[in-house]
Amino acid sequence: MDDRVWTTQLTPLRFLRRSADVFPEKQAIVYGDRSLNYREFAGEATRIANALRASGIDAGDRVAYLLPNIPEMLIAHFAVPLAGAVLVAINTRLAAEEIRYILDHSGAKILVVDSALYGGIVPIAEELRTVTEIVTVTDPAAPGEGSPVPYERLRDRGSERPLDWTVDDENTTIAINYTSGTTGKPKGVQYTHRGAYLNSFGEIVHSTHTPESVYLWTLPMFHCNGWCTPWAVTGIGGTHVCLREVRGEVIWELIERHRVTHLNGAPTVVTTVLNAKSARPLDYSLIVTTAGAPPAPTTIGQAERMGLRIVHVYGLTETYGPYSVNEYQRAWDELEPQARARELARQGVGMLQADRMRVVGEDMEDVPADGATMGEIVMRGNNVMSGYYRDPEGTAKAFAGGWFHSGDLGVVHPDGYVELRDRAKDIVISGGENISTIEVEQAIVAHPAVLEAAVVGVPDSTWGESPKAFVVLAEGKSATGEEIIEHVKATIARYKAPKEVDIVTALPKTSTGKVQKFQLRS
């Protein structure tokens, strides 16, 4: 007798079935005047899954979605895998040619697209090699041109005929997420049912979700499947508040209307929330889980004063989003606010569901835990992708030595907490000295007139390379480049201060809030 006959395969599909059983009448999704309870949520996912099967989607086929954070995108995270297919969620800000590449490379058979975005893909529609049908979702909040197949027609092909909320193999692919491709063609990062299931528990635990959670969708669902939060919040029975676009005033209106308890996003999203005209101190704790770039200690301090509790996580697309968390230590309560913020700005330790995060030298040996010796951050385990889709060479390179290589440089402090110092490609080497652009950026943002900053290396005839800063000033504040340079020199080692400072109105960013430094270098 098989001694594992009683085990079941891990899949986040089970989360929606459980919540529909346990919380059938509880509000699951709210968007404007629309609202679905968990019974209706499960019914919609089942109907769309049956519709996809009726449309010719077989096990393992790819179904692409090009949607903002509206209910149909959330439903897709369950409907597509429930149909046995693989979800390909596409960045809504990509150019048509980038979208074409992803659709062709993934071999997607059906594309579901927001009608407001449909016009942008019309020029490539006839060139798509594998897409047999383009379905448009029309959002009354932003109507646009519809394709010959409206979402309602797709939906009508389905029914609520019961489907099995399980999988035969937990290691099959549930989603493919494409990297930004700033250094080449985008890579298709494969997530498994097992990995998504386990990562969801990490999100529940470390962001302290409960059935009373009211989660605001400030993080794009196309980015690492929203850090697996579509599955996590559903699993715990919380409420999803959908949000079409990230705007400070809208965010605060929804926070007040729904008494939002949680939101996720890059530090730039946190900055948007903190600096909105309607921002005010809250009378309860709103948990903000942030990643994408290390939050400046100044930002963390400001958030605390507003009643926002920062949960700082770190990861990449290849690690299902968050892999590590800055696990809070009660001893930090005794620190001065600035000192505590510096502790919170570190990337921390592996999350509960992840392996230990390592920092290694070129020999793959761990660097000393001295807070100074830099090495590359490497990871492995359930929280790491199964590989790049149709790219065995890229996969082998990424996992050289048996660990996933992040390309990020960091140090390990004596307490075992890892601190990110830079991307390997972003480190500035000036006169033989390594200068962390993150350290310089945090020093700049500590200036009271500064809202945001980005630092890059530029050629220097004397030192080979030197730091240059691009700075966005806070509304109503003023400062000169010279004043900012002097401020940095008084904060960190003088040789690390930027030689130039450009005051700009905005920094170039990706749709997930990451600064596109390659544009600043050009």
Side-chain angles (χ1 to χ4, degrees), residues 142-208:
E145 180 184 359
S147 75
V149 185
Y151 187 77
E152 291 71 24
R153 186 180 302 174
L154 170 69
R155 186 179 180 277
D156 288 345
R157 296 174 193 161
S159 68
E160 294 191 22
R161 177 177 58 85
L163 293 170
D164 193 356
W165 298 84
T166 61
V167 291
D168 294 331
D169 181 0
E170 63 188 20
N171 290 311
T172 56
T173 302
I174 189 172
I176 300 175
N177 291 282
Y178 279 81
T179 58
S180 59
T182 57
T183 57
K185 292 292 186 183
K187 292 184 173 66
V189 177
Q190 298 177 108
Y191 291 1
T192 66
H193 282 258
R194 176 186 175 84
Y197 179 92
L198 292 171
N199 182 275
S200 297
F201 280 106
E203 305 306 317
I204 292 169
V205 169
H206 294 293
S207 291
T208 59

Side-chain angles (χ1 to χ4, degrees), residues 11 13 75-87 166-167 174 193 231:
T11 172
L13 289 175
I75 292 165
H77 278 77
F78 293 90
V80 174
L82 185 59
V86 177
L87 176 63
T166 61
V167 291
I174 189 172
H193 282 258
W231 299 307

Side-chain angles (χ1 to χ4, degrees), residues 176-246:
I176 300 175
N177 291 282
Y178 279 81
T179 58
S180 59
T182 57
T183 57
K185 292 292 186 183
K187 292 184 173 66
V189 177
Q190 298 177 108
Y191 291 1
T192 66
H193 282 258
R194 176 186 175 84
Y197 179 92
L198 292 171
N199 182 275
S200 297
F201 280 106
E203 305 306 317
I204 292 169
V205 169
H206 294 293
S207 291
T208 59
H209 283 291
T210 74
E212 303 308 312
S213 290
V214 179
Y215 179 78
L216 179 60
W217 270 105
T218 48
L219 178 75
M221 289 188 219
F222 63 68
H223 178 55
C224 310
N225 294 116
W227 299 350
C228 296
T229 312
W231 299 307
V233 172
T234 299
I236 201 65
T239 297
H240 299 268
V241 180
C242 288
L243 176 68
R244 185 176 180 90
E245 56 183 333
V246 175

Side-chain angles (χ1 to χ4, degrees), residues 319-381:
T319 62
Y320 294 71
Y323 182 96
S324 74
V325 62
N326 184 287
E327 196 76 59
Y328 191 81
Q329 302 287 341
R330 285 300 167 198
W332 298 347
D333 288 344
E334 306 304 318
L335 298 176
E336 293 296 322
Q338 277 298 104
R340 182 169 62 251
R342 283 194 295 272
E343 298 292 337
L344 289 169
R346 300 182 298 171
Q347 281 58 49
V349 295
M351 293 170 73
L352 188 65
Q353 82 287 357
D355 283 22
R356 181 174 72 90
M357 186 163 61
R358 298 174 63 209
V359 180
V360 302
E362 293 183 2
D363 57 1
M364 287 296 291
E365 294 295 321
D366 290 271
V367 302
D370 57 10
T373 305
M374 280 200 293
E376 185 181 17
I377 297 172
V378 296
M379 296 160 276
R380 72 178 180 187

Side-chain angles (χ1 to χ4, degrees), residues 206-208 262 285-289 303-304 307-311 328:
H206 294 293
S207 291
T208 59
H262 294 75
S285 180
L286 193 163
I287 297 171
V288 178
T289 303
E304 285 186 343
L308 308 183
R309 183 162 76 81
I310 298 292
V311 177
Y328 191 81

